[in-house]
Amino acid sequence: MTLAVVRSIGAPRRLETAQEYEDFEQELVDQFLLAGVGAGMADSSIADDRRAIFEFVRFLGRPVWTTGPEDADRFLADQRKVKRLAHSTVQTKAWTLAQFFDFLIARYQGDIHALTGHVLVQPIDEFNRPAKSEYGTQRIPPSEAEVDQLFNGWRESLGGARKFLPAARDYMVASLWRRVGTRMTETLKLDIRDWRPDLGDFGKLHVRHGKGSRGRGPKGRLVPAINSTDALMDWWLGDVRHQFGDDYANPDAPMFPSERRDPLTGFCLRAGDDALRSGLKGAVGAFLPAWSGRLTPHVLRHFCASSLYLQGVDLKAVQELLGHE
């Protein structure tokens, strides 16, 4: 077996040809992504970072080490005003670029100056860096009375639902968002074995697929079944879940299944986020129309946090319940 010859990124010479400039730029990006692998980032996060960096490089139209803050201004403005991307999407790309240039400045400032004659600057500065994913918008949750109105109407409608099982599932899932603030993905990935009635005063949900920081894999936590969540879990597992299929006795079966079956095993597939979002959307339109188009799963998570705080729950406890760092 032979090894390919790899040019040192810090070779003390000047770049001369267009191909050398292109190869050097590619090496800088590769080294940044490799550092992400070393930090334990998920493959999907690394792929997202790569796409964002190369999108910026194409927009820039010249070597990345010539970037200034004004170039980042133009790029972020184009993302928001021309492409009309979501605030959170623009924020994520800005943060990726900021990390990329922090990496270049920390590790390769000297090499880049020796090879190109340019001095790197951080183009994402205090003036153009999005501070929060919801910058430009505010996600103020509905009041306690409004949420009670929604869920009271929704609960009473279940008996007359055209398809009881998915209606009951959607109500149950939204109740978790409201009462203990689980995220969409965390909720979807719950299995039957993740309900632990033997733990604590009320029982606990084992959220094994909690959101980790910067793609560093899932961060698990135990969520106490407060706010009558224990009674809801008893109703769901005692009266409803077994009606979806015989897999209810399998601890690894999805807690919240789809009506569709796996063609190989015959067991229930896991419900998708589109179905759960649609269920919430329909209930809001029917029982809290003033919030149509505004009350999302994440806004219910905000409501949970606000409600617990107003009940006197310590902020640190709220933070841990929601799985925040």
Side-chain angles (χ1 to χ4, degrees):
M1 182 180 68
T2 59
L3 297 177
V5 177
V6 179
R7 176 172 61 81
S8 169
I9 198 169
R13 65 180 183 80
R14 283 276 183 164
L15 302 177
E16 296 176 357
T17 68
Q19 186 62 51
E20 286 180 330
Y21 275 91
E22 183 178 337
D23 290 345
F24 181 54
E25 187 173 60
Q26 178 68 60
E27 285 186 48
L28 293 173
V29 177
D30 289 346
Q31 291 297 324
F32 171 68
L33 299 176
L34 181 61
V37 174
M41 291 176 59
D43 290 346
S44 58
S45 296
I46 291 172
D48 289 342
D49 286 353
R50 185 182 187 280
R51 279 191 293 270
I53 292 169
F54 279 109
E55 182 182 6
F56 176 72
V57 169
R58 288 192 296 271
F59 179 89
L60 184 65
R62 62 179 195 273
V64 71
W65 49 83
T66 66
T67 301
E70 66 280 0
D71 299 309
D73 293 344
R74 292 188 300 106
F75 176 73
L76 297 177
D78 180 77
Q79 296 282 301
R80 295 180 61 190
K81 301 298 184 182
V82 178
K83 293 185 170 60
R84 304 185 69 83
L85 298 180
H87 294 303
S88 60
T89 303
V90 180
Q91 176 216 40
T92 300
K93 291 182 180 182
W95 285 2
T96 296
L97 292 176
Q99 287 187 322
F100 177 54
F101 280 93
D102 280 344
F103 170 84
L104 295 183
I105 291 170
R107 290 199 183 183
Y108 298 114
Q109 174 76 277
D111 295 328
I112 289 172
H113 182 261
L115 290 170
T116 70
H118 284 275
V119 176
L120 284 169
V121 298
Q122 173 58 268
I124 307 295
D125 56 24
E126 60 183 306
F127 302 104
N128 61 17
R129 181 192 299 261
K132 298 180 180 179
S133 61
E134 60 264 28
Y135 72 99
T137 63
Q138 289 185 330
R139 282 190 278 200
I140 301 174
S143 67
E144 193 88 34
E146 288 174 315
V147 171
D148 283 343
Q149 175 185 327
L150 167 62
F151 280 88
N152 289 341
W154 196 351
R155 181 176 62 250
E156 292 172 4
S157 73
L158 293 180
R162 184 175 66 86
K163 299 180 74 174
F164 170 74
L165 291 182
R169 177 201 63 204
D170 297 345
Y171 170 81
M172 178 64 200
V173 167
S175 295
L176 290 184
W177 299 334
R178 168 199 183 181
R179 296 175 186 274
V180 292
T182 51
R183 298 178 177 94
M184 169 65 82
T185 303
E186 295 171 346
T187 312
L188 287 174
K189 292 184 177 180
L190 287 172
D191 290 337
I192 289 176
R193 67 186 171 103
D194 293 326
W195 170 232
R196 296 294 305 277
D198 56 312
L199 298 179
D201 295 334
F202 307 103
K204 293 185 178 182
L205 278 170
H206 186 193
V207 178
R208 291 176 293 113
H209 298 277
K211 182 180 180 182
S213 60
R214 288 295 299 159
R216 287 174 169 82
K219 181 182 178 182
R221 68 185 188 279
L222 289 168
V223 176
I226 57 175
N227 278 340
S228 300
T229 299
D230 53 340
L232 279 167
M233 291 301 302
D234 289 343
W235 166 73
W236 173 252
L237 291 174
D239 297 341
V240 183
R241 176 59 180 86
H242 66 277
Q243 298 184 53
F244 277 89
D246 294 338
D247 63 342
Y248 74 94
N250 181 352
D252 294 321
M255 178 71 76
F256 302 112
S258 167
E259 289 186 293
R260 294 179 299 148
R261 302 299 184 93
D262 186 313
L264 296 178
T265 65
F267 290 157
C268 297
L269 295 172
R270 201 174 297 275
D273 62 344
D274 287 344
L276 302 183
R277 290 180 190 278
S278 179
L280 175 61
K281 181 180 178 180
V284 172
F287 307 114
L288 196 63
W291 276 83
S292 291
R294 296 189 293 150
L295 186 51
T296 65
H298 201 74
V299 172
L300 280 179
R301 180 171 156 86
H302 279 240
F303 169 80
C304 174
S306 300
S307 175
L308 291 174
Y309 179 66
L310 290 174
Q311 293 174 45
V313 178
D314 181 76
L315 275 177
K316 179 64 175 177
V318 175
Q319 176 184 343
E320 292 178 353
L321 179 81
L322 298 181
H324 276 288
E325 190 69 33

